Amino acid sequence: NYHVLGAKQFEREQLEELFDAAKAMEGVVKRGGDRRHEGRIMTSLFFEASTRTRLSFESAMHRLGGGVIGTENAAQFSSAIKGETLEDTIRIISGYSDVIVMRHTDIGAAKRAAKVSSIPVINAGDGAGEHPTQALLDAYTIRKELGRIDGLHIAMVGDLAYGRTVHSLSYILANYQDVVVHYISPDNVRIPENVKQYMDEKGIRYAESNDLDSVAGSIDVLYQTRIQKERFPSLDEYEKAAGQFIVDAELMDRMRKDSVVLHPLPRLGEITEEVDSDPRAAYFRQAVNGLYIRMALIDKCITESQGK
Ligand code: CP
């Protein structure tokens, strides 16, 4: 089976193929979708809240002619609440559908699921671990907005410890030449050592600081993130991290005219609404790109697993 479990599994050639496939999906959507996966079923298994990831995956499957099953909140309404293991849940769903999209609270949950699944598993976020499909749509957006990824200076800002999207995005960016990453965070949510170790292994230049102002005028991409309140051990620790980096009109004035601002969303005030009308604010366009990337991923998973 072709699973999507983490961003390290993607090499440059596969990324280019996926981005070409996503571009083609933009055309499919414009034509009102197609029926290529009619009769196929995607299970949407979300143990954590989601707006974009779940609904864009479900929309993607419908756009490809397939059906979707799932509970509104798997933590509450699946038999997990009765004590069923994740492994048994996955074994059962494997018999009902053709692909599983899963978000879970535990790091590594998607890998556990894939071990017992007879159908492809797509990781839609595993705790504070990874969010590979988000990183794929982020990279697709950067390429679409700026025409390239090689050579870009990218600032990842905010909660770099619990924010899983920046882990996955780092792994994706490690495929590109001469990229420079600025990790800018409060001291208690710095980028994890294992991510830095991977960047070192791949020879990617990066710097760590808590100073957004000093890089704002030179970066190509500002990737802002939410402080993940729900993952902190205490309210006190959360409050130490909250509110330190705000993207507002004043910061935008200091950024380059050809730069772009991204955010995986949801936001909680770390980008002020006055920024939304700036043409460099790409975060809503980024969310739409999630549909195309996820259509391409579903298509690849089903096609490669079933020889369809
Ligand atoms: N970006 C993202 O994962 O959003 P949701 O939590 O709404 O899916």
Side-chain angles (χ1 to χ4, degrees), residues 112-134:
R112 277 173 53 205
K115 276 194 183 135
V116 297
S117 179
S118 60
I119 60 174
V121 173
I122 301 178
N123 181 4
D126 59 332
E130 280 214 55
H131 194 348
T133 70
Q134 177 70 46

Side-chain angles (χ1 to χ4, degrees), residues 33-200:
D34 64 27
R35 313 299 305 165
R36 76 182 73 182
H37 293 306
E38 192 163 18
R40 304 293 180 194
I41 293 175
M42 181 186 91
T43 297
S44 184
L45 188 65
F46 277 66
F47 292 87
E48 282 189 342
S50 171
T51 294
R52 277 147 291 273
T53 312
R54 184 166 75 85
L55 297 180
S56 63
F57 262 116
E58 294 187 4
S59 174
M61 189 57 174
H62 285 296
R63 295 281 195 202
L64 296 171
V68 178
I69 57 172
T71 61
E72 189 61 29
N73 171 348
Q76 202 179 344
F77 296 116
S78 78
S79 284
I81 203 159
K82 303 176 204 165
E84 186 164 52
T85 63
L86 176 64
E87 282 77 2
D88 277 359
T89 302
I90 296 295
R91 286 183 184 104
I92 297 302
I93 292 169
S94 292
Y96 298 160
S97 55
D98 302 285
V99 59
I100 298 169
V101 176
M102 189 181 93
R103 173 171 288 185
H104 201 276
T105 49
D106 297 348
I107 294 175
K111 285 185 184 153
R112 277 173 53 205
K115 276 194 183 135
V116 297
S117 179
S118 60
I119 60 174
V121 173
I122 301 178
N123 181 4
D126 59 332
E130 280 214 55
H131 194 348
T133 70
Q134 177 70 46
L136 292 166
L137 79 89
D138 296 339
Y140 182 66
T141 302
I142 292 170
R143 204 180 71 144
K144 201 166 149 183
E145 295 283 333
L146 299 180
R148 68 194 165 102
I149 299 177
D150 290 321
L152 295 181
H153 289 227
I154 297 167
M156 299 190 198
V157 182
D159 184 348
L160 307 185
Y162 300 117
R164 55 197 170 198
T165 70
V166 293
H167 308 160
S168 295
L169 183 56
S170 297
Y171 302 146
I172 295 293
L173 293 177
N175 287 287
Y176 291 87
Q177 301 290 319
D178 301 322
V179 163
V180 179
V181 180
H182 297 273
Y183 292 118
I184 296 169
S185 70
D187 289 338
N188 63 340
V189 284
R190 290 168 66 168
I191 194 78
E193 288 301 317
N194 64 316
V195 177
K196 287 194 287 180
Q197 193 181 336
Y198 187 82
M199 301 302 259
D200 286 335

Side-chain angles (χ1 to χ4, degrees), residues 202-272:
K202 296 287 173 182
I204 302 298
R205 282 170 56 203
Y206 64 84
E208 269 190 286
S209 82
N210 56 11
D211 182 4
L212 175 58
D213 288 339
S214 70
V215 299
S218 64
I219 51 177
D220 301 289
V221 179
L222 195 167
Y223 188 94
Q224 175 67 303
T225 66
R226 176 177 68 91
I227 305 295
Q228 309 259 310
K229 186 175 184 181
E230 67 277 22
R231 301 201 196 282
F232 279 75
S234 69
L235 190 60
D236 193 38
E237 280 298 307
Y238 166 72
E239 283 170 354
K240 276 186 210 160
Q244 290 195 29
F245 303 106
I246 309 286
V247 179
D248 56 13
E250 193 195 324
L251 187 86
M252 295 300 287
D253 282 344
R254 282 184 277 131
M255 287 183 60
R256 293 200 346 229
K257 297 289 172 232
D258 58 352
S259 62
V260 69
V261 178
L262 303 184
H263 192 311
L265 304 177
R267 65 173 160 184
L268 288 181
E270 62 275 358
I271 300 178
T272 60

